Amino acid sequence: MAINYSVIDVLILIDYMLMICIVDFDRTFLKNDYFMESFCIQVLKNPFYIISHFFLEKGDLVGLKVKLLKNHKKAYDLRLLINPMVEDWIRANRDNYSKVILVSASPDSFVKELITPLSLFDAIHGSTDVNLKGIRKVDFIKHHYGEVFDYIGDAVADLPVFNKARQAFKVTTKKIELLEK
C-alpha cells in the first residue's frame, strides 16, 4: 500500500530536517561574560591598558577582546562556567534540529579553544573582523545558515536576533522561556 503525502507534508518534513538552533555564548551557554571578566581584571591591574589600546594603538573592540582573552588565564575548570540548564536544554532538544550552532561576539579562536572539546555543537563561530553582536550576528546567521532558525540567548543585545528567529528562547538565571512573537 502506497502512502500519499501532500506537498505541504513534504515541505513541513524538509523544514523540520533543515531546522537549526543558534546558541549564544556569554551569559547563555556560559554563566558569566568571559570578556567582561577579563576587562575588569585588566582595568584593575592597569587602567591605561584600555586607553592605550583604543587611542595609542588605534585598536578596535574585536582586537581588544582578542588581546584580553589571549592573556586571561582561567583559574578554574570550564565545566564550572557552563550553564547546566542550557546544556541540558541542548541535549534534550538536539533531535529537533539538524544542527546546533554556537555563535558568539567573543573572539573566534578563544571560543573554539574552549568549546570544541565538549563536542556539543555542530559548528562554533566567534568574532573575527566583525563583532558578532546584535544585527551583525543576524547578518552572519542569515548569510551562513539561512533565514529560518531558532535562537537561545540572554541579553538586550540579542533583541535583533530574537526578532528574526522562528522561535526565540530567553535564558534567565532560573529558566529558559519561549518568547512570545
Side-chain angles (χ1 to χ4, degrees):
M1 175 157 98
I3 299 174
N4 294 324
Y5 291 103
S6 72
V7 172
I8 292 176
D9 290 336
V10 172
L11 290 175
I12 290 170
L13 181 60
I14 290 171
D15 185 46
Y16 173 77
M17 291 172 30
L18 299 177
M19 184 53 58
I20 64 165
C21 181
I22 306 292
V23 180
D24 187 33
F25 182 62
D26 289 310
R27 289 187 316 264
T28 299
F29 186 68
L30 292 189
K31 295 180 221 174
N32 70 340
D33 183 327
Y34 223 86
F35 169 68
M36 284 307 295
E37 180 181 318
S38 301
F39 180 85
C40 292
I41 289 169
Q42 188 59 51
V43 167
L44 290 173
K45 283 184 187 175
N46 178 4
F48 298 107
Y49 183 89
I50 308 302
I51 294 168
S52 171
H53 174 78
F54 286 112
F55 295 106
L56 298 177
E57 300 170 29
K58 305 286 189 220
D60 62 3
L61 183 59
V62 174
L64 178 63
K65 287 180 176 184
V66 169
K67 281 173 53 177
L68 286 176
L69 294 173
K70 184 177 183 181
N71 295 325
H72 181 73
K73 302 294 181 211
K74 59 183 174 42
Y76 37 77
D77 181 7
L78 173 66
R79 299 280 323 160
L80 297 173
L81 296 179
I82 293 173
N83 185 334
M85 181 173 58
V86 174
E87 183 179 18
D88 291 347
W89 186 94
I90 292 168
R91 292 187 191 288
N93 290 282
R94 185 114 177 92
D95 289 343
N96 297 333
Y97 299 100
S98 61
K99 292 183 180 177
V100 177
I101 313 292
L102 186 125
V103 179
S104 174
S106 290
D108 187 67
S109 58
F110 175 76
V111 175
K112 285 179 177 169
E113 178 185 327
L114 284 180
I115 301 303
T116 300
L118 301 176
S119 300
L120 186 62
F121 297 97
D122 296 295
I124 299 167
H125 303 282
S127 296
T128 52
D129 298 333
V130 174
N131 192 28
L132 296 178
K133 189 173 186 177
I135 196 68
R136 291 186 191 112
K137 185 180 275 191
V138 171
D139 293 342
F140 178 88
I141 293 166
K142 287 165 72 174
H143 177 75
H144 288 85
Y145 297 103
E147 300 276 338
V148 182
F149 59 91
D150 289 353
Y151 184 74
I152 180 167
D154 73 295
V156 171
D158 291 321
L159 286 176
V161 191
F162 286 146
N163 290 334
K164 295 294 182 185
R166 180 185 70 107
Q167 291 187 102
F169 299 91
K170 184 170 187 333
V171 175
T172 67
T173 56
K174 297 182 180 177
K175 63 182 177 177
I176 298 172
E177 60 184 312
L178 177 62
L179 296 178
E180 296 289 325
K181 289 250 171 183

